[in-house]
Amino acid sequence: MMPAPHGNSTRPAQQPYRMTYVKQVEGVGTRLTLLWFLQRDPRENWRDHFADLDTGVAASGLGSVRFVAPFIPTVPETDRYVDELR
């Protein structure tokens, strides 16, 4: 079972009313962004549920995965995780 009680998907859309200097969005109709909201630290189950998503998508022939990464929030006004950034 996937450890994500909630997920969100979005697709880019052309902006019909935009300033002329703003570039149109590329990949409309071909890109999909998935966000998974976990109840636990992603390091606990990243390898089992998310690390191989690109393999499954490629095998299906439906597309390719360009970026998969966990988000670990910081604790404002602390030095928590600083040692992992260096």
Side-chain angles (χ1 to χ4, degrees):
M1 177 189 294
M2 182 158 307
H6 181 74
N8 184 16
S9 66
T10 61
R11 291 185 178 274
Q14 295 292 352
Q15 302 298 316
Y17 305 106
R18 63 181 172 80
M19 302 302 291
T20 56
Y21 57 85
V22 176
K23 184 178 173 183
Q24 275 288 18
V25 176
E26 296 178 5
V28 172
T30 61
R31 289 186 181 180
L32 175 68
T33 299
L34 297 172
L35 300 174
W36 297 106
F37 297 92
L38 310 179
Q39 291 180 320
R40 297 186 312 219
D41 187 321
R43 292 173 285 201
E44 293 177 20
N45 48 28
W46 183 260
R47 202 166 303 219
D48 296 335
H49 297 283
F50 300 99
D52 293 332
L53 286 177
D54 57 330
T55 306
V57 172
S60 74
L62 296 174
S64 61
V65 174
R66 301 294 179 164
F67 181 71
V68 178
F71 172 76
I72 301 168
T74 61
V75 180
E77 299 182 20
T78 70
D79 287 337
R80 189 170 188 181
Y81 307 122
V82 169
D83 62 323
E84 296 176 32
L85 297 172
R86 297 185 180 153

